[in-house]
Amino acid sequence: MGNNSTNHPLISLAENSSREAREALVAATAAQFLDSGEECSLMERTLFSDILVKLYSFARQEVRIKLSATLAMADWAPIDLVRELALDSFDIAQPILAFCPILNDDILVEVVRECGFEHRMTIAERSCIGELVSQSLIETEDKNILSNLAANVTARIAAHDFEHAMNVLSETPDTLNSLITRHDLPPSLVAAAFAIAGAEARDLITARVPPRIASRLVSVVGDCTAEAAAKATKSAFHHPMPERVIETVRRNAHNLNVKPTPGFLVAALMRGEREHFVRGIARILELPVAGVSRKLASAETESIALAARAANFDSSIVRTIYETLEVRSIPWTIGDDRTVALVWMRCSPGAARTAFAKGMTN
């Protein structure tokens, strides 16, 4: 552009202040900008960007859509122009919010605070958003937005915002489980998360902590009052449960002493906690502990398969239980696979329980 910049065709349009001239100027600038794109000199790109930002309100819908589509994947896009597009209506903003690599956290936070639901949902799904962006999303306390954020494993979430999100989601179990089973659940919130988690989420949480901590978590959740749980949690982890969590536990105290899950029991068995495993099976099947212990002590494939089927375990777990319980060093064979398959084919969980309990006494 150099010495001929004063003769640039955009200049004559800029000298006309009518709305029509402004719309024409924006359209012409956008067209030239999009045609030259990355090949623009820095001076030209700065000129184009200044015009487009200052006269953005005069840009027609189709011009804005073209700008958004072109700049969505451009690492050379002018940041001020990208901001205008991000704050526009959702149809225009969506490609920028979802993909634009130069969109920074400050602009994303501004969009969350200034724009609506669709903008926020898209940002919640955006890769690698920072803690400030996650915080602004959590502050909306919108459960649908938090659901998207919880599922976004690349989003960074600070510990205090994790706690806030847990409070918001305390009454929506599926989304709560997605949040608290994230890889970055803060250690200070493990106990509180375990207290309000569903069965599968508890299995995932206990699998990530040492056996001593896992046992402590089960003990905390087994307490019959929320106050006792909160006190134990604070003592063990130096972090109290969130108030809304405590209230949820209080309302559902009679349900907290839940039956152990298959995953938790198998994990206990593999840690060498055989008695814990046997008691858990007995509790699930509502059979006497002594009788269950005698049946499992033989480590017979059929008995183990019947117990596992009755407890709604997956058939693939039977071999793991067998090999962990087996003390005679008798290897698993293809015949054992057939036995398990027959039990699953012939018996419902109820029928398997009846067969397993046959001849059992207290």
Side-chain angles (χ1 to χ4, degrees), residues 40-70:
C40 285
S41 68
L42 179 59
M43 185 180 295
E44 285 179 314
R45 196 177 299 164
T46 301
L47 171 64
F48 293 151
S49 179
D50 284 348
I51 294 172
L52 291 170
V53 169
K54 289 174 182 176
L55 300 180
Y56 189 80
S57 62
F58 294 96
R60 293 188 295 270
Q61 181 83 354
E62 64 270 19
V63 173
R64 298 182 186 192
I65 289 174
K66 286 180 181 177
L67 284 168
S68 178
T70 301

Side-chain angles (χ1 to χ4, degrees), residues 14-138:
E15 291 173 349
N16 188 331
S17 61
S18 69
R19 180 172 185 86
E20 292 76 12
R22 292 287 184 252
E23 290 178 355
L25 175 59
V26 172
T29 302
Q32 195 159 343
F33 179 48
L34 296 178
D35 284 343
S36 50
E38 191 172 6
E39 296 176 1
C40 285
S41 68
L42 179 59
M43 185 180 295
E44 285 179 314
R45 196 177 299 164
T46 301
L47 171 64
F48 293 151
S49 179
D50 284 348
I51 294 172
L52 291 170
V53 169
K54 289 174 182 176
L55 300 180
Y56 189 80
S57 62
F58 294 96
R60 293 188 295 270
Q61 181 83 354
E62 64 270 19
V63 173
R64 298 182 186 192
I65 289 174
K66 286 180 181 177
L67 284 168
S68 178
T70 301
L71 300 183
M73 304 294 289
D75 57 7
W76 48 266
I79 189 65
D80 290 340
L81 180 56
V82 165
R83 175 182 172 276
E84 293 291 341
L85 293 165
L87 288 165
D88 209 326
S89 64
F90 182 69
D91 288 347
I92 294 163
Q94 191 273 334
I96 295 292
L97 296 177
F99 305 113
C100 186
I102 69 160
L103 201 57
N104 59 45
D105 284 3
D106 288 341
I107 294 175
L108 290 170
V109 169
E110 183 181 6
V111 172
V112 170
R113 292 175 178 168
E114 298 294 329
C115 299
F117 176 78
E118 291 178 314
H119 289 71
R120 294 167 180 172
M121 287 288 277
T122 303
I123 291 173
E125 296 172 345
R126 181 182 167 90
S127 297
C128 302
I129 56 176
E131 290 183 354
L132 288 177
V133 181
S134 295
Q135 180 183 47
S136 66
L137 291 166
I138 292 168

Side-chain angles (χ1 to χ4, degrees), residues 34-351:
L34 296 178
D35 284 343
S36 50
E38 191 172 6
E39 296 176 1
C40 285
S41 68
L42 179 59
M43 185 180 295
E44 285 179 314
R45 196 177 299 164
T46 301
L47 171 64
F48 293 151
S49 179
D50 284 348
I51 294 172
L52 291 170
V53 169
K54 289 174 182 176
L55 300 180
Y56 189 80
S57 62
F58 294 96
R60 293 188 295 270
Q61 181 83 354
E62 64 270 19
V63 173
R64 298 182 186 192
I65 289 174
K66 286 180 181 177
L67 284 168
S68 178
T70 301
L71 300 183
M73 304 294 289
D75 57 7
W76 48 266
I79 189 65
D80 290 340
L81 180 56
V82 165
R83 175 182 172 276
E84 293 291 341
L85 293 165
L87 288 165
D88 209 326
S89 64
F90 182 69
D91 288 347
I92 294 163
Q94 191 273 334
I96 295 292
L97 296 177
F99 305 113
C100 186
I102 69 160
L103 201 57
N104 59 45
D105 284 3
D106 288 341
I107 294 175
L108 290 170
V109 169
E110 183 181 6
V111 172
V112 170
R113 292 175 178 168
E114 298 294 329
C115 299
F117 176 78
E118 291 178 314
H119 289 71
R120 294 167 180 172
M121 287 288 277
T122 303
I123 291 173
E125 296 172 345
R126 181 182 167 90
S127 297
C128 302
I129 56 176
E131 290 183 354
L132 288 177
V133 181
S134 295
Q135 180 183 47
S136 66
L137 291 166
I138 292 168
E139 285 174 349
T140 68
E141 299 193 350
D142 185 302
K143 294 179 176 62
N144 290 315
I145 290 169
L146 266 61
S147 177
N148 270 18
L149 180 63
N152 183 353
V153 297
T154 68
R156 293 172 55 197
I157 307 175
H160 64 280
D161 296 317
F162 238 108
E163 182 174 347
H164 186 177
M166 284 168 59
N167 279 322
V168 173
L169 299 173
S170 60
E171 296 178 1
T172 52
D174 290 343
T175 303
L176 177 64
N177 284 345
S178 295
L179 177 71
I180 61 184
T181 54
R182 285 175 57 99
H183 67 286
D184 53 351
L185 175 69
S188 60
L189 294 176
V190 168
F194 187 85
I196 56 177
E200 291 184 10
R202 285 180 181 170
D203 287 345
L204 290 172
I205 292 171
T206 53
R208 285 160 34 185
V209 299
R212 180 181 63 81
I213 300 297
S215 297
R216 184 60 171 159
L217 291 175
V218 175
S219 174
V220 168
V221 174
D223 287 340
C224 61
T225 66
E227 287 76 14
K231 181 178 179 181
T233 303
K234 186 173 183 180
S235 173
F237 298 95
H238 311 291
H239 199 289
M241 288 187 186
E243 285 301 320
R244 286 188 61 186
V245 173
I246 293 174
E247 181 57 31
T248 300
V249 174
R250 182 182 290 112
R251 287 198 311 270
N252 299 285
H254 63 285
N255 291 325
L256 280 180
N257 203 15
V258 294
K259 291 179 180 179
T261 64
F264 184 79
L265 289 181
V266 172
L269 179 63
M270 295 183 73
R271 292 195 299 266
E273 300 170 9
R274 181 190 173 110
E275 183 179 353
H276 190 165
F277 174 78
V278 171
R279 287 184 177 278
I281 293 289
R283 187 170 178 201
I284 290 174
L285 301 184
E286 298 180 348
L287 292 171
V289 174
V292 171
S293 181
R294 283 193 297 272
K295 285 272 189 175
L296 293 179
S298 65
E300 296 292 340
T301 304
E302 186 174 12
S303 291
I304 295 171
L306 287 169
R309 178 65 167 147
N312 281 306
F313 283 33
D314 188 89
S315 61
S316 63
I317 291 178
V318 176
R319 180 172 180 174
T320 299
I321 297 173
Y322 172 90
E323 292 179 341
T324 308
L325 288 174
E326 174 58 56
V327 294
R328 296 165 296 171
S329 300
I330 300 176
W332 183 270
T333 67
I334 193 169
D336 295 309
D337 284 326
R338 291 196 189 100
T339 299
V340 174
L342 284 172
V343 167
W344 251 256
M345 196 165 47
R346 292 174 177 173
C347 299
S348 66

